[in-house]
Amino acid sequence: MENLIFRISGEEAIVLISKKRRRRLTLELLLMTLISLIAGVLTAQVVEDMGLQFMFEKLKSEDYYENQTQDCLKRLQAFIEENQVTEENIELLASWAQKESNVYVVFYQDVDALFSSDTIPVGEDAEIALNGSGLPYYDVALADGTSIKAELECYMDAQMFYVVDIAGYTIGGIVFVILLFALIHQKIRYINRLDQELKILGSGNLEYPMTIQGNDEITGLAEGIERLKNGILEQQLMKDEAEKANMELVTAMSHDLRTPLTSLIGYLELLTMERYTDEDQMHSYLNHCREKAFQLKRMSDRLFEYFLVYGKRERQYQFQELSCESLLEDLCNSQFFDWQEQGGSLSCSVGELAGTVQVDSEYLQRVIDNVLSNLKKYGDVAYPLEILAEERDRLLCIQIRNYVKKQDNVKESTQIGLRTCRKIMEEHQGAFGWYREGDCFAVELRLPMMRQGT
């Protein structure tokens, strides 16, 4: 199972995370709504309980009860006087009792109950109610002067309970809305922030970082925008690097073309001025001219091919195995012929080398031409050109040293040729370095050696 987990690629991991997040925002919103709803219901219940408790406490108050009873008696007496209720039409009191929905009343004449607001039957049951109800009696005078008794009990107005319910629901609803908005506000604020950051990115500032927070679909959207932005930046960076590499290649190729071209001009000048001792030397000059001309053609062909196929290597390396001795012999005897033609001398010191190296002769020639170009510019022919070769840690180390001649108004070198040499040697799995100690300038080439017979 662990092996299977480690085989998940980056894109598959993103898909798995997206699936996990697919329902997360919905669950968060449902949870927020549920929490807000529970809080609203509990708040409504608390408000209703407090309201009812307040009403019951008020109802238990003797002053409240007495005031309600006196108000009820006043309304009863006013009804009797207004409707001229007498013993003959005493049934009119039933209509008053029905209107007084919050009053329990029983009317008595002598011992027997006349009627009650709850339609309690008269007779024996009425006597029981009279003796066992425990409610106070009040004297009521009819319009004709007849005196009757009224047993009264006042209740809280039912509308007050409706008011308490409405107040509880209203406050609970307000708590629900406020709490839900407070919980969702963080998501809304995050969305607004992403909107502002998208406007910044749209204005062209692609390096502005997106805010990544949370672990839901909105976070996935922000991460997607961040990946898209980074992809665009990476493409721009690759484009800039490609353009820079293109420019460096053109500069390096022009530098490489100039070196054999200078040698070709030098040989042609020698031939034109007939500065050769015999016909063999003339043919040698002509052969060198021919070699330099073909070298220029190959370089120009590669440069043309590079522009036809942008971004690809100008030519694949074609390695061949050479013995270290033959490579050093060619280097000491023919590669620095131009240096000797300028009046310089060579001092070769080659140790015991029993092995071979894998080299591309054409690219290695570019390295030697670059080194020779620097020697012609800065080398002092008054000192011999030292070539030291030895095996070191299974590497063929070739060091070329000379002294720098003193010049006035020397233009600072861009070191393009030296950087080109280092790149070529790295492609050979080797190394190229240069340093200067006082007036001595040295370059060192390193190539991996293979033992003969291995």
Side-chain angles (χ1 to χ4, degrees):
M1 183 63 183
E2 293 180 356
N3 294 333
L4 187 60
I5 293 175
F6 283 109
R7 291 195 185 101
I8 296 177
S9 64
E11 294 181 356
E12 292 172 343
I14 292 173
V15 171
L16 291 177
I17 293 173
S18 300
K19 289 181 178 179
K20 291 181 180 179
R21 291 175 174 166
R22 186 171 298 171
R23 300 294 182 183
R24 185 177 180 87
L25 183 59
T26 303
L27 293 177
E28 288 181 0
L29 293 176
L30 288 175
L31 183 60
M32 292 176 185
T33 305
L34 182 60
I35 293 174
S36 302
L37 183 60
I38 293 174
V41 171
L42 292 177
T43 302
Q45 187 65 42
V46 170
V47 171
E48 289 185 13
D49 291 343
M50 293 177 62
L52 292 175
Q53 184 178 2
F54 173 77
M55 292 172 60
F56 290 143
E57 290 293 333
K58 188 176 180 180
L59 185 60
K60 292 178 181 179
S61 174
E62 293 182 359
D63 293 338
Y64 176 82
Y65 183 78
E66 185 65 29
N67 292 334
Q68 289 290 97
T69 303
Q70 292 300 324
D71 290 340
C72 184
L73 290 173
K74 289 178 181 180
R75 293 195 300 271
L76 175 59
Q77 198 64 49
F79 178 81
I80 292 173
E81 294 176 357
E82 181 181 353
N83 294 276
Q84 290 298 305
V85 179
T86 62
E87 218 172 341
E88 286 78 12
N89 59 355
I90 197 171
E91 65 274 3
L92 292 176
L93 293 178
S95 63
W96 177 86
Q98 292 177 355
K99 292 179 181 179
E100 297 290 334
S101 58
N102 301 320
V103 176
Y104 171 77
V105 59
V106 180
F107 294 103
Y108 299 92
Q109 186 178 22
D110 296 333
V111 177
D112 296 331
L114 297 175
F115 54 84
S116 69
S117 59
D118 290 341
T119 64
I120 298 177
V122 296
E124 185 180 354
D125 293 337
E127 186 175 358
I128 293 173
L130 177 62
N131 296 328
S133 65
L135 297 177
Y137 301 101
Y138 299 93
D139 292 327
V140 179
L142 299 178
D144 58 0
T146 303
S147 178
I148 63 174
K149 293 184 179 296
E151 184 182 18
L152 287 174
E153 184 177 7
C154 296
Y155 300 100
M156 184 73 71
D157 190 356
Q159 293 182 353
M160 296 298 295
F161 293 94
Y162 297 143
V163 172
V164 172
D165 290 339
I166 293 173
Y169 294 146
T170 302
I171 296 176
I174 293 174
V175 170
F176 168 76
V177 172
I178 292 176
L179 183 59
L180 182 61
F181 179 78
L183 293 174
I184 298 178
H185 179 66
Q186 185 177 2
K187 297 294 182 183
I188 297 175
R189 185 171 58 182
Y190 184 34
I191 293 174
N192 291 333
R193 186 169 184 176
L194 292 179
D195 180 63
Q196 295 298 324
E197 292 175 352
L198 280 175
K199 291 179 180 178
I200 295 175
L201 295 178
S203 64
N205 186 11
L206 294 178
E207 295 183 356
Y208 191 85
M210 295 293 295
T211 302
I212 308 298
Q213 66 181 30
N215 189 25
D216 52 26
E217 289 85 346
I218 302 176
T219 307
L221 177 62
E223 291 176 348
I225 296 173
E226 181 71 14
R227 288 194 297 269
L228 178 62
K229 181 201 71 174
N230 292 337
I232 296 174
L233 286 175
E234 186 177 355
Q235 288 181 356
Q236 288 184 349
L237 181 61
M238 292 176 60
K239 182 179 178 182
D240 294 340
E241 290 179 352
E243 292 178 353
K244 181 180 178 182
N246 184 26
M247 184 61 66
E248 289 182 353
L249 176 66
V250 173
T251 307
M253 289 296 292
S254 63
H255 182 274
D256 291 344
L257 287 170
R258 188 169 58 251
T259 301
L261 184 61
T262 303
S263 299
L264 179 61
I265 294 174
Y267 287 124
L268 291 176
E269 288 290 337
L270 292 176
L271 291 171
T272 302
M273 292 183 294
E274 297 183 354
R275 294 182 58 182
Y276 48 86
T277 56
D278 52 22
E279 189 173 349
D280 291 338
Q281 190 174 25
M282 180 188 71
H283 285 295
S284 176
Y285 287 167
L286 289 174
N287 288 331
H288 281 297
C289 289
R290 186 172 179 273
E291 290 178 0
K292 297 299 179 184
F294 278 112
Q295 185 179 353
L296 286 172
K297 183 180 182 301
R298 287 193 298 269
M299 289 183 178
S300 62
D301 290 342
R302 289 200 307 271
L303 184 61
F304 181 71
E305 291 173 0
Y306 175 79
F307 283 108
L308 286 180
V309 186
Y310 178 77
K312 296 184 179 180
R313 182 183 293 172
E314 42 193 306
R315 186 183 71 87
Q316 295 294 329
Y317 283 84
Q318 298 177 358
F319 295 102
Q320 57 181 349
E321 187 174 348
L322 293 177
S323 65
C324 296
E325 293 180 354
S326 61
L327 178 64
L328 268 297
E329 183 179 356
D330 182 60
L331 186 65
C332 294
N333 295 334
S334 61
Q335 294 294 339
F336 291 99
F337 177 78
D338 289 348
W339 171 260
Q340 294 173 315
E341 286 295 323
Q342 287 185 345
S345 59
L346 295 178
S347 175
C348 296
S349 176
V350 180
E352 183 177 354
L353 301 173
T356 60
V357 290
Q358 293 280 345
V359 296
D360 185 310
S361 301
E362 187 173 341
Y363 276 101
L364 189 61
Q365 181 64 47
R366 291 178 61 179
V367 175
I368 301 303
D369 287 341
N370 275 295
V371 173
L372 182 59
S373 175
N374 282 279
L375 287 173
K376 287 183 177 180
K377 286 182 183 179
Y378 310 111
D380 191 348
V381 293
Y383 296 92
L385 179 63
E386 299 180 10
I387 301 177
L388 308 176
E390 61 179 347
E391 180 183 352
R392 193 187 310 155
D393 297 330
R394 301 199 67 177
L395 291 174
L396 173 60
C397 299
I398 304 172
Q399 191 176 94
I400 303 171
R401 295 189 303 184
N402 190 251
Y403 287 86
V404 180
K405 60 184 177 183
K406 297 181 180 180
Q407 302 181 32
D408 297 332
N409 300 324
V410 179
K411 184 178 179 181
E412 187 69 22
S413 173
T414 60
Q415 296 184 345
I416 293 176
L418 295 176
R419 289 199 297 267
T420 303
C421 293
R422 181 169 59 188
K423 184 177 180 181
I424 293 175
M425 295 304 297
E426 288 175 353
E427 293 290 342
H428 282 74
Q429 306 300 319
F432 182 88
W434 66 90
Y435 62 90
R436 179 172 177 175
E437 294 179 356
D439 292 336
C440 181
F441 178 80
V443 296
E444 184 172 279
L445 290 74
R446 295 182 183 180
L447 290 169
M449 288 182 59
M450 295 182 295
R451 296 288 184 180
Q452 291 182 347
T454 61

